[in-house]
Every structure is written in C-alpha cells, then in structure tokens.
Coordinates of all heavy atoms in Angstrom, one line a residue:
L1 N 24.0 46.0 -25.5 CA 24.7 44.9 -24.7 C 24.7 43.6 -25.5 O 25.4 42.7 -25.1 CB 23.9 44.6 -23.4 CG 23.9 45.8 -22.4 CD1 23.1 45.4 -21.2 CD2 25.3 46.1 -22.0
A2 N 24.0 43.5 -26.6 CA 23.8 42.3 -27.4 C 23.4 41.1 -26.5 O 23.8 40.0 -26.7 CB 25.1 42.0 -28.1
A3 N 22.5 41.5 -25.6 CA 22.0 40.4 -24.7 C 20.9 39.6 -25.3 O 20.1 40.2 -26.0 CB 21.5 41.1 -23.4
G4 N 20.9 38.4 -25.1 CA 19.9 37.5 -25.6 C 20.0 37.2 -27.1 O 19.0 36.9 -27.8
V5 N 21.2 37.3 -27.6 CA 21.4 37.1 -29.1 C 21.2 35.6 -29.4 O 20.6 35.2 -30.3 CB 22.8 37.6 -29.5 CG1 23.1 37.2 -30.9 CG2 22.9 39.1 -29.3
T6 N 21.8 34.8 -28.5 CA 21.6 33.4 -28.7 C 20.5 32.9 -27.7 O 20.5 33.3 -26.5 CB 22.9 32.6 -28.4 OG1 23.4 32.9 -27.1 CG2 23.9 33.0 -29.5
A7 N 19.6 32.1 -28.1 CA 18.6 31.6 -27.3 C 19.1 30.5 -26.4 O 19.8 29.6 -26.8 CB 17.4 31.1 -28.1
D8 N 18.7 30.6 -25.1 CA 19.0 29.5 -24.2 C 18.0 28.4 -24.3 O 17.1 28.4 -25.2 CB 19.1 30.0 -22.7 CG 20.2 31.0 -22.5 OD1 21.2 30.9 -23.3 OD2 20.0 31.9 -21.6
T9 N 18.0 27.5 -23.4 CA 17.0 26.4 -23.4 C 15.6 27.0 -23.0 O 14.6 26.5 -23.4 CB 17.3 25.3 -22.5 OG1 17.6 25.8 -21.2 CG2 18.6 24.6 -23.0
V10 N 15.6 28.0 -22.2 CA 14.4 28.7 -21.7 C 14.3 30.0 -22.5 O 15.2 30.8 -22.4 CB 14.4 28.9 -20.2 CG1 13.2 29.7 -19.8 CG2 14.6 27.6 -19.5
I11 N 13.2 30.2 -23.2 CA 13.0 31.5 -23.9 C 12.1 32.4 -23.1 O 10.9 32.0 -22.8 CB 12.4 31.2 -25.3 CG1 13.4 30.4 -26.1 CG2 12.1 32.5 -26.0 CD1 12.8 29.9 -27.5
D12 N 12.5 33.5 -22.8 CA 11.8 34.5 -22.0 C 11.1 35.4 -23.0 O 11.7 36.3 -23.6 CB 12.7 35.3 -21.1 CG 12.0 36.3 -20.2 OD1 10.7 36.1 -20.0 OD2 12.6 37.1 -19.6
L13 N 9.8 35.2 -23.2 CA 9.0 36.0 -24.2 C 8.8 37.5 -23.8 O 8.8 38.3 -24.6 CB 7.7 35.3 -24.5 CG 7.7 34.0 -25.1 CD1 6.3 33.4 -25.2 CD2 8.4 34.0 -26.5
V14 N 8.7 37.7 -22.5 CA 8.5 39.1 -22.1 C 9.8 39.8 -22.0 O 10.0 40.9 -22.4 CB 7.7 39.1 -20.7 CG1 7.5 40.5 -20.2 CG2 6.4 38.4 -20.9
G15 N 10.8 39.2 -21.3 CA 12.2 39.7 -21.3 C 12.3 41.1 -20.6 O 11.6 41.4 -19.6
A16 N 13.3 41.8 -21.0 CA 13.6 43.1 -20.4 C 12.5 44.1 -20.5 O 12.3 44.9 -19.6 CB 14.9 43.6 -21.0
I17 N 11.8 44.1 -21.6 CA 10.7 45.0 -21.8 C 9.6 44.7 -20.7 O 9.0 45.6 -20.1 CB 10.1 45.0 -23.2 CG1 11.2 45.4 -24.2 CG2 8.9 45.9 -23.3 CD1 10.8 45.2 -25.6
G18 N 9.4 43.4 -20.5 CA 8.3 43.0 -19.6 C 8.7 43.4 -18.2 O 7.8 43.5 -17.3
R19 N 9.9 43.5 -17.9 CA 10.3 43.9 -16.5 C 10.4 45.5 -16.4 O 10.1 46.0 -15.4 CB 11.7 43.3 -16.1 CG 11.6 41.8 -15.9 CD 12.9 41.3 -15.4 NE 14.0 41.4 -16.4 CZ 14.2 40.5 -17.4 NH1 13.4 39.4 -17.5 NH2 15.2 40.7 -18.3
S20 N 10.8 46.1 -17.4 CA 11.0 47.6 -17.4 C 9.7 48.4 -17.5 O 9.6 49.3 -16.7 CB 12.0 48.0 -18.6 OG 12.1 49.4 -18.6
V21 N 8.8 48.0 -18.3 CA 7.6 48.7 -18.5 C 6.7 48.7 -17.3 O 6.3 49.8 -16.9 CB 6.8 48.2 -19.8 CG1 5.4 48.8 -19.9 CG2 7.6 48.6 -21.1
P22 N 6.4 47.6 -16.7 CA 5.6 47.6 -15.5 C 6.3 48.4 -14.3 O 5.6 48.9 -13.4 CB 5.3 46.2 -15.1 CG 5.6 45.4 -16.4 CD 6.6 46.2 -17.1
A23 N 7.6 48.4 -14.3 CA 8.3 49.1 -13.2 C 8.2 50.6 -13.4 O 8.3 51.4 -12.4 CB 9.7 48.7 -13.2
Q24 N 7.9 51.1 -14.6 CA 7.8 52.5 -14.8 C 6.5 52.9 -15.5 O 6.4 53.7 -16.5 CB 8.9 52.9 -15.8 CG 10.3 52.6 -15.2 CD 11.4 52.9 -16.3 OE1 11.2 53.8 -17.1 NE2 12.5 52.2 -16.2

C-alpha cells in the first residue's frame, strides 16, 4: 500500500505491526 512513506507530524512507532500482532 506504500502506507506511511512520508512521516506525518505524529510518528507511530508501533504502527500496523503493533496493532496486528496483539490481535492475533
């Protein structure tokens, strides 16, 4: 998806992995 290629003002260090891994 090329998501998160450019950093916003808020950097999410955990991101998609941090949401996906605990859910599974």
Side-chain angles (χ1 to χ4, degrees):
L1 297 174
V5 174
T6 58
D8 295 333
T9 55
V10 178
I11 298 175
D12 186 14
L13 295 177
V14 178
I17 298 171
R19 289 184 295 277
S20 177
V21 170
Q24 302 174 29

